[in-house]
Each structure stands twice: as structure tokens, then as C-alpha cells.
Amino acid sequence: MRTSRWRVVVYSLVLLTGFLTALPNLFTPAQLADWPSFLPTRQVALGLDLRGGSHLVLEIDTAAMIAERLEITRDDVTTALRKAHIDVNSIQISNDQVIVSLSDTKDHDGALDALEYLANAQVETPRHGSTAEFVITAPSDNSIHIALSEQGIRNRVDASAQQSLEIIRSRIDQIGVSEPTIQRIGSDRVLVQLPGVQDPSQVRKLLGSTAKLGFYMLADRSRTDKRDSSVLTLQDKDGQSYHLHRTPALSGDHLTDAHAGFDPQSHQPVVNFRFDTAGAAKFADITRANVGKPFAIVLDNEVLSAPVIREAITGGSGQISGSFTVGETVTLSALLRAGSLPAPMTVIEERTVGPDLGADAIEMGLYTGLIGLGLVTGLMFFLYGRWGMIANLALGLNVMLTFGALSLMGATLTLPGIAGIVLGIGLAVDANVLINERIREETKRGLSAFMALDSGFKRAYATIVDSNITTLIATALLFEFGSGPVRGFAITMGLGIVISMFTAVAVVRVIMTEIVWRTRMKKLVIEPLWRFMPEKTSISFMRARFLGIGMSLLLSAISIGLFFKPGLDYGVDFKGGIQVEVASSSANDGNSPLDLGALRQELSTLGLGDVSLQDIGKDGHILIRVERQPGGEQAQTAAVETVKKAVQSIDPAADFERTEVVGPKVSGELAQSGVSAVIFASLAMLCYIWWRFEWPFAVGAIVTLILDVTKTIGFFAIMGLDFNLTAIAALLTLIGYSVNDKVVVYDRMRENLRLYRKMPMREIIDMSINQSLARCLFTSLTTLFAMVPMAIWGGSAVESFAVPMVFGVVIATTSSIYIAAPILLFLDTWRQKQRQKHARLASETDIDDNPLIKKASS
């Protein structure tokens, strides 16, 4: 029967919406400006790996924030006890708390009364409402300990992160970066993505600096007690020490403007600043009262300059001078205009991609995607003739709707995202292959065209749902535990799979139904242009079960050995450190390549530990890896400049196309999340199989999955591929694909078990594999056709994904036949023996308990 009109209308509206939302991606922004206002104009944004730029993740230095708050608390405590006329031996900060040592134990209660305002201090928290900011304890009669409460710390971290977000956004606006991405990650981190910024060194200084400016009067250290906590000792960048009064005479909060300039006398770069009305009046009073005395201008606990006050400054403006470069004055003035951060922030992750590399990535992604799509569509036409062209139309609609959905979501397309689209195309074909093969089977059973069409779609639908859900489980966990481009891969692949349920099942069914109806077709014949495999096979696969399992166990054992020696080549994502891709001048002018020996010798003298150099296959392109540096997150980013200077000393014209800096904290988190994603994805899919089938199927799947994953890890080790976040994406995708393949075979076994209840299990397994053999081979071919071009020409950015996926598809297909099925047979044989044993024991028990039999035997 024909498809109802309302369904055709709904499907048409969905396709039209997808077309209109995807269409803007084919035009330039200038062309879109002339579009009618009622049409969508949003385009899919390109990630930094495609257009170039810098990616930084900053984290609030919680320890420094606590220390700063305790410093303020110590000063407040000192003032409060002095007003209460209570003598103290010392007020010190130790172990994240202020420790007050009283001179007389009789003052203990009075001191607690004087500090009651701290005990009553409250902070507002989203979940717990008002809560105490401080915890005050008295471990002895002559000491009082004051510490920030856990909720107080969380409140300050949350407030600091939100305030820092706005200040960072203001600072970025000061340097004029177009279309920046600035957003919070978690409770204490801020993500900053800056398109077009290739050298993030100045940006790192701009974002990581607290920019707390203060004007301090100098103290006479010789006349003060060394234990006096009111005196602060700081240094300038040359190492000279200054003794300052701890409390600033005037803070930088009163600044209204700051801009770079030149001193008219010395012609040196300076920063000119101006105060607001209140600040100008206070600055005038300070300078008037301290003529002839030095005062220090301090930024982030570093003395910028310490001039002597020659006369009262009443104009409300001043000048900061020092040994500045022009670039430093521009950065400093931008910092002062934007305001100070409430807490120090550290750059814990930094990734930079040059514009040339981004352009190459777009070109390679486009070429490999088109080649893969061409191969897949050619194979479908070859396998199913004109009916294959309907499947190809569904693939085109799938890509269109995927881009339309990405545009509506405002998603960012990355190079792994392109890989996700390409792989999604390969997996989407699976549904069309299942449908066409099922229809072909129903036609051979003698059903009419409409009956074969209806039965084929119904029988294929359950298998399609089961196989896609298992893949979506892996995709969802990849999104949950992944970050950045890996999440982009998960989004595009997940969208492709979900959309394929609509295009490959719903849309294709409507088109095929309409063709059968209009042509009054009596018999629905789906034949290949040229048959390269028998129409019906009867291979006894279970005869080779011992050989298959033995070979698999041997390869997995070898892979486990390779995991320990030589081991995996962990990327900076997992072990931290620095990775720089250098394009030497020879890459552009065709001259002799950069001397690796000279560069290796130069880098080895920098004291950066283990440094490795690798020619990555492109002419003049070298990958430099530096081990994780001791000294925390800042040491990683500081070493980048050292590496770049060393490269430029050998080749001044070298370009830095890609830079990755990952601190130890981030690398540890990425490693943990990657391992968790693999484990949870495996368990979730196996639980689904257990629920949909029976426990022997789940056991067979998990054993096969372990063997598939171990062999893939061995492949990483023997090939020397980077094991990074992209590799984790490959493993998760492979797990999903492997289980997907096994679900199809299992589904046919389950169907045959219902139809042939008395047939031996071995015959059912062989029959099921032969029936689903064409689907397994054709799906594997389409996936390989989609991935092979990317593996060959995709470049280093997707090498860790595409190459092992090609290997994994072959392994997953063979393991479905020679590993998963034999394990199922072994388990069924074991269950049959257990049933016979229990039946025999029950029979013997009945005989022993029968009194007539006992009497006869006696």
C-alpha cells in the first residue's frame, strides 16, 4: 500500500528544513549578508585546527587565593586584637590557617570575643544557602586557629571564576581578537580560544597575570622589628629588594585609563595612567605628605619602579617607567584598563595551530571525505544497481541534515569532526545494506514486491536499532569523557547515526514504496551489476573454530607483550609536556632540509630533559617532543619559548605550525577520563546485549571485545602511532563497531533459534553466519572505503584515528565469525552438558527415593 500523505508532508518539511539550514555553509559571509532576513544564515564554525589560532585553558590558583585571603584575614585579626588591647606573641600563617599566639592565657576569652565578627561572617552558596566563611578553633589556652571553611573556599572559587571570566573577556577585547570563545569549564577553569592568534606568549602573559596594581610607601627596615608582619619585602625583575609597608597607600582600583607611550625626556617606552576623582585626591595627599621619599609601583608582587616623589602630583595622572619594551607597555596598559583578576590563574593547557596547517587540514579533510563518499556510493551502485542509487541519495541527505543540525546547534567543526562525518557515512550504509539484503531474501522466498518490501524493512529494523544503539553508547561516553575536538568527533558521528535512522529507514522506504506502487511492480528484484560472490553460501565456519580462537589468543598475547615492550608511544595528552610541529624554511623554498643533527644538539643543551625529533613525512616538517618539565604547570609553558628560540637560532625562517603544551594535572585527568570511557563503554554495551539477548551472547561479546582491543593496542605499539585522545576515540569507535557487527550476527542467530528449535546449535550458527555474510562483508567494505583515504592522506592530525580504524574494521569483522560465534557454541555445549548432568542427578535421586525400587533391588 502507498505511504500516507501526512507522512510524506512531514518528511518533506524535515528535509526542506535541513536543506535551508545547511545551505548557508556553501556561501561566504558577504553573500549571506544579502539574504532575506527570514532565511537561516548561521554557518558551522570552524575549529582552531581548521582555521588556526590558540587554545588555552586557565585554572584558578586556589592555593594562592587562599593564601591571599589569609593575608587579609591576618591583617584584620591584628587590627581587631590591637583595638581590644590584647597582647600577642605572634600572628602567623601556617598550614592554610592564621595562628594567633597570645602573650597571656587570661586574654583567651577576650580574644575570641574580639574575633567574633569572623565567626559570624557568612557566605552564600547555591546549594547550602548561608554558611560560615571561617572555622575558628582554640586548641590550647594561649592559641587560636582561624581557617577558611570548605564552603567558604568553594564560594570564593566560584565567585572568582565568574569574575575572572568577565575580566578575561575584557582583556581579550583590549587586544582586538575577532570571534573569541571564552567560557567556564567546571568550577575553577576558563577556556579561551583565539582564532588567528599564532603566538600565544603575549596572550599567556595577558591572561595569566593577576594585574593587581598598588602604590606602596617604602619602609625603613633598619628601624622595624624583623618579626613585624606589617613590612613586605618584594623584588623587581633585576632582583633588587625593596621593603614596603604591607598595606598599599593607594590601590589600582582607582585607575580610569592606562595607555602605552614614550617618555618625552628619555624617549623610553612607558605606561601613562589616570586616576578617578577620589584616586586623584588621595594620590595628591600622599605625594604632598611624602615629598623627597621613595614610593614603589607594584604589579603582582613585583616592583615595576620605585621613583622618589619630587613634588606633589595633583593632576590625577602619572607614569610607570622601567626597562620596558614597546610590547610590554601595550600588554601592561591593556591589563590595567581591564582590571585585576580576583585570584591568580595558571595556563594549564595550551594548543596552537598555524593558518597554513589549518588550511591544509581543510583541504585534506575535504579531499579525503569526497574520495571516501565517492568510493562508498560507487560500491552501493555496484552492489544494488538502481536501488543502490536510492541508498546513495539517502547518504547525501544524511550529510545535508548533519550539517543542518550542526548549524542549528551552533556547533564547531574540527578535523576529528570531519572524520566523524566520514565514518558516519560508512556506518550509515550498514542500514541500507541490511534492508536490501533482507528484501532480497524475502523475494527469494517467493513474496510479492509489496510483501517483500514490507517484510524486509520490518525484519531489518530490529537489527538496525540494536546495532545503532550499541554504537551510540560508545559515542555518548566519548562525548562525556572526551574534550575539545574529540567531543566534536562524537557529536558529528552521533548525529550521523541518528539521522541515518531517518534517511536510511523512513525516507528510503517511502521512495521504494512509491516506485513499486507507480510501476505496478510484481516482483522486487535487487541484483548487483556483477556478482563477485555466490548467491548462497554454505561454508562450515565452525570447523575452523579452534584455529580461529588459537590464532586470536596468540596475537592478543603478542599484543600484550608489545604493550609492555616497546610500549605505547603516549602523546602529550597523556604524559604531559610539549609538542611542536616545525615547518623549516626548506618546506617553502625547496632548499636543503633543516639539519636534524644540529637541531638535536642545540636542544640537548637546553636542560629540558628528554627531547626527541621526528620527521613526520612532509618535506621540511619536524615534530619536536619535550618531556614534562619539573616545576608545575608554569614550567611547561615557559619551556615553549626556549624551544622556539633554539629552532630559530638554527633556521630563522622556520614556522611553528602546531604547538601543544599540556601540564601534569591536565594529562593525568585526560588519561583517567580516557581509560574510564573505554571501560564504561564496554560495560554499557555488554549490559545492553545481555538485556536484548541472553548471557551467553554477552559473554561471547565481551571476550571477543577484549581480544579485539588488545590486538588494536598491539597495533598501536608496533606501528609507533601516537596514543592520545584521538587514539581513545579510535578505540571507542572500534568497540562500538565491533559490537555493532556482532549484534547483526547475533540477531540472525536469535531469529533462527526461534524458527528451528530442534536444529543443533552448530548448524544454526553456520547457517546464520552464511545468511549474514554478505552484510558483514559489504558493511566492512563501505567502512574501509570511507576510512582508507583518510588513513593515507588525512595527515598526522587524524593518523591516530584513521589508521587503527582500518586495522580494527578487519579485526572486528573476522572476530564476529571466528571468535564470537565459536565462544557461543562452546557456552551452549557447556550448558547442554550441565542440563544433562542435572537431569541425570535428578533421575538418580528419584530412583533412590522410590520405595518400590528399593524393595525390588533388595
Side-chain angles (χ1 to χ4, degrees):
M1 59 181 178
R2 298 188 66 181
T3 307
S4 62
R5 288 187 177 181
W6 70 265
R7 183 175 296 182
V8 174
V9 170
V10 171
Y11 290 175
S12 300
L13 288 176
V14 171
L15 294 175
L16 179 62
T17 302
F19 173 75
L20 292 177
T21 53
L23 189 61
N25 294 289
L26 300 177
F27 299 95
T28 64
Q31 292 171 328
L32 292 176
D34 298 329
W35 275 41
S37 58
F38 60 87
L39 290 177
T41 57
R42 178 182 289 182
Q43 295 177 306
V44 177
L46 297 180
L48 295 184
D49 56 350
L50 294 179
R51 58 174 170 171
S54 297
H55 163 110
L56 301 98
V57 177
L58 299 96
E59 183 180 60
I60 291 176
D61 190 340
T62 305
M65 185 195 69
I66 294 173
E68 182 180 355
R69 178 57 180 153
L70 292 177
E71 286 279 357
I72 297 172
T73 304
R74 179 176 64 178
D75 294 341
D76 292 344
V77 168
T78 301
T79 303
L81 294 179
R82 281 178 179 173
K83 288 182 178 180
H85 305 290
I86 295 175
D87 294 330
V88 297
N89 290 327
S90 64
I91 302 178
Q92 298 178 343
I93 297 176
S94 178
N95 297 326
D96 289 340
Q97 55 186 347
V98 177
I99 300 176
V100 180
S101 177
L102 301 173
S103 300
D104 192 339
T105 56
K106 295 179 181 180
D107 293 330
H108 184 267
D109 293 339
L112 289 176
D113 291 339
L115 300 178
E116 186 178 1
Y117 76 98
L118 289 177
N120 295 331
Q122 300 285 310
V123 292
E124 293 293 329
T125 59
R127 294 183 180 179
H128 301 85
S130 296
T131 185
E133 182 179 9
F134 295 95
V135 176
I136 300 178
T137 58
S140 64
D141 291 340
N142 67 334
S143 66
I144 299 174
H145 293 187
I146 305 165
L148 285 168
S149 67
E150 183 178 346
Q151 291 298 331
I153 294 173
R154 289 180 183 175
N155 178 270
R156 288 196 169 274
V157 169
D158 182 73
S160 297
Q162 189 60 39
Q163 186 178 351
S164 298
L165 186 71
E166 300 305 323
I167 293 173
I168 287 174
R169 183 174 286 113
S170 177
R171 291 182 180 183
I172 295 299
D173 291 341
Q174 297 288 339
I175 60 176
V177 177
S178 61
E179 299 182 7
T181 299
I182 306 167
Q183 62 189 40
R184 284 185 66 176
I185 304 177
S187 61
D188 60 350
R189 294 181 182 177
V190 176
L191 166 68
V192 179
Q193 291 185 333
L194 307 173
V197 177
Q198 310 307 323
D199 182 9
S201 58
Q202 285 298 105
V203 177
R204 195 187 312 122
K205 294 177 183 177
L206 184 70
L207 300 182
S209 174
T210 311
K212 290 196 173 182
L213 183 71
F215 300 86
Y216 292 76
M217 299 307 301
L218 270 67
D220 187 353
R221 188 67 172 177
S222 62
R223 296 184 180 179
T224 59
D225 187 352
K226 292 184 179 181
R227 295 180 299 172
D228 188 357
S229 61
S230 65
V231 175
L232 181 68
T233 302
L234 298 177
Q235 294 181 336
D236 60 14
K237 61 182 180 181
D238 296 325
Q240 183 177 348
S241 297
Y242 297 85
H243 305 305
L244 316 173
H245 291 290
R246 181 175 296 276
T247 303
L250 183 63
S251 71
D253 296 338
H254 291 283
L255 288 182
T256 58
D257 185 35
H259 60 273
F262 291 91
D263 185 276
Q265 303 289 335
S266 62
H267 304 291
Q268 295 297 314
V270 295
V271 174
N272 299 303
F273 62 86
R274 178 174 293 279
F275 289 112
D276 59 18
T277 304
K282 193 169 183 180
F283 193 57
D285 293 339
I286 293 170
T287 54
R288 188 180 297 112
N290 294 280
V291 173
K293 296 180 180 179
F295 79 112
I297 303 175
V298 178
L299 179 71
D300 291 345
N301 293 325
E302 180 182 334
V303 177
L304 298 179
S305 61
V308 175
I309 301 174
R310 302 298 181 188
E311 58 184 4
I313 303 175
T314 58
S317 62
Q319 185 183 90
I320 302 174
S321 61
S323 301
F324 298 133
T325 64
V326 174
E328 288 173 338
T329 59
V330 172
T331 301
L332 178 55
S333 59
L335 286 170
L336 298 179
R337 285 196 302 272
S340 61
L341 291 172
M345 300 198 76
T346 304
V347 178
I348 59 175
E349 183 181 354
E350 175 190 321
R351 302 178 192 269
T352 304
V353 177
D356 293 336
L357 187 62
D360 291 342
I362 294 176
E363 185 178 6
M364 286 298 98
L366 183 62
Y367 286 164
T368 55
L370 289 176
I371 293 173
L373 181 62
L375 291 174
V376 170
T377 54
L379 179 64
M380 291 301 292
F381 177 68
F382 179 80
L383 292 176
Y384 302 114
R386 59 172 180 166
W387 302 105
M389 295 307 296
I390 298 176
N392 290 336
L393 173 63
L395 286 181
L397 295 176
N398 183 293
V399 175
M400 179 191 74
L401 291 177
T402 300
F403 273 94
L406 291 174
S407 299
L408 283 176
M409 295 166 57
T412 300
L413 184 63
T414 60
L415 188 56
I418 294 177
I421 293 175
V422 174
L423 181 60
I425 291 172
L427 294 178
V429 175
D430 181 45
N432 295 111
V433 171
L434 280 169
I435 290 168
N436 285 324
E437 291 297 322
R438 275 293 192 176
I439 292 175
R440 182 184 288 176
E441 288 183 26
E442 299 303 314
T443 300
K444 291 175 182 177
R445 290 175 53 199
L447 298 181
S448 64
F450 267 116
M451 292 294 291
L453 185 67
D454 184 65
S455 180
F457 269 94
K458 285 182 178 178
R459 291 180 179 274
Y461 184 74
T463 306
I464 292 170
V465 170
D466 285 337
S467 59
N468 282 346
I469 286 179
T470 54
T471 308
L472 285 174
I473 289 172
T475 305
L477 288 167
L478 187 61
F479 178 82
E480 176 66 25
F481 291 97
S483 62
V486 177
R487 281 193 165 190
F489 166 79
I491 290 173
T492 55
M493 184 173 146
L495 281 175
I497 293 173
V498 172
I499 292 172
S500 71
M501 293 288 291
F502 171 70
T503 56
V505 179
V507 175
V508 169
R509 182 167 187 169
V510 169
I511 295 175
M512 293 183 73
T513 301
E514 194 67 19
I515 292 175
V516 172
W517 175 269
R518 289 186 178 277
T519 58
R520 300 292 191 270
M521 192 177 294
K522 301 297 183 182
K523 189 175 183 179
L524 182 54
V525 180
I526 300 178
E527 294 294 337
L529 296 182
W530 178 72
R531 189 176 300 280
F532 65 93
M533 64 177 294
E535 184 174 348
K536 184 177 181 181
T537 59
S538 56
I539 303 171
S540 181
F541 291 100
M542 291 302 96
R543 286 185 178 180
R545 62 187 183 277
F546 294 107
L547 177 62
I549 291 179
M551 287 295 297
S552 180
L553 290 173
L554 177 62
L555 290 175
S556 291
I558 294 173
S559 297
I560 292 173
L562 291 171
F563 173 76
F564 290 102
K565 189 175 182 180
L568 296 175
D569 188 10
Y570 293 102
V572 295
D573 290 335
F574 291 155
K575 65 179 181 181
I578 301 167
Q579 185 167 284
V580 181
E581 183 176 337
V582 180
S584 66
S585 55
S586 62
N588 299 321
D589 57 26
N591 294 329
S592 58
L594 181 64
D595 188 350
L596 287 181
L599 181 58
R600 183 176 288 107
Q601 183 176 0
E602 178 69 20
L603 293 174
S604 64
T605 62
L606 301 178
L608 299 177
D610 185 23
V611 179
S612 63
L613 280 72
Q614 177 185 354
D615 190 334
I616 58 175
K618 303 177 184 177
D619 292 336
H621 285 247
I622 301 167
L623 190 65
I624 302 173
R625 291 179 180 170
V626 181
E627 70 175 24
R628 189 167 63 192
Q629 301 297 301
E633 315 291 355
Q634 292 181 343
Q636 317 301 319
T637 54
V640 175
E641 300 304 318
T642 305
V643 171
K644 289 183 176 181
K645 288 178 182 178
V647 172
Q648 290 176 334
S649 67
I650 303 294
D651 186 356
D655 290 329
F656 300 98
E657 296 206 331
R658 179 162 55 98
T659 303
E660 297 181 46
V661 182
V662 179
K665 186 173 183 179
V666 172
S667 62
E669 292 173 355
L670 292 177
Q672 181 179 359
S673 63
V675 174
S676 299
V678 173
I679 294 174
F680 289 146
S682 303
L683 292 177
M685 285 185 286
L686 295 171
C687 289
Y688 180 78
I689 292 176
W690 196 313
W691 173 66
R692 286 289 290 153
F693 298 89
E694 294 182 30
W695 69 265
F697 291 90
V699 173
I702 191 171
V703 173
T704 310
L705 204 56
I706 292 173
L707 295 174
D708 288 352
V709 171
T710 52
K711 285 191 279 287
T712 306
I713 290 177
F715 181 78
F716 270 102
I718 200 170
M719 294 294 293
L721 297 172
D722 264 2
F723 196 80
N724 48 26
L725 282 179
T726 309
I728 291 293
L731 273 181
L732 282 173
T733 307
L734 175 60
I735 289 172
Y737 181 86
S738 178
V739 176
N740 176 309
D741 202 62
K742 287 151 189 60
V743 163
V744 173
V745 178
Y746 281 170
D747 192 74
R748 183 56 69 98
M749 291 180 187
R750 181 177 58 180
E751 180 181 336
N752 287 329
L753 282 170
R754 294 170 180 169
L755 294 175
Y756 308 100
R757 297 181 180 276
K758 295 184 178 181
M759 183 180 290
M761 187 66 172
R762 176 171 172 174
E763 294 182 16
I764 287 180
I765 290 176
D766 277 335
M767 180 176 63
S768 301
I769 294 176
N770 279 286
Q771 289 174 342
S772 56
L773 182 62
R775 174 267 164 197
C776 291
L777 293 179
F778 295 162
T779 299
S780 297
L781 280 175
T782 55
T783 307
L784 286 174
F785 282 2
M787 295 307 300
V788 165
M790 188 166 291
I792 297 175
W793 299 293
S796 58
V798 293
E799 181 184 52
S800 297
F801 174 82
V803 175
M805 271 302 299
V806 171
F807 171 81
V809 167
V810 177
I811 291 295
T813 303
T814 54
S815 68
S816 298
I817 298 173
Y818 291 107
I819 310 299
I823 290 174
L824 193 61
L825 178 60
F826 293 151
L827 290 174
D828 182 75
T829 303
W830 177 80
R831 283 205 304 177
Q832 294 294 336
K833 289 181 178 179
Q834 292 298 311
R835 289 172 182 171
Q836 294 174 1
K837 181 179 178 180
H838 289 310
R840 186 173 62 254
L841 290 174
S843 177
E844 292 175 355
T845 302
D846 291 341
I847 292 174
D848 292 340
D849 292 340
N850 193 323
L852 295 177
I853 296 177
K854 286 183 179 181
K855 184 176 180 180
S857 61
S858 62

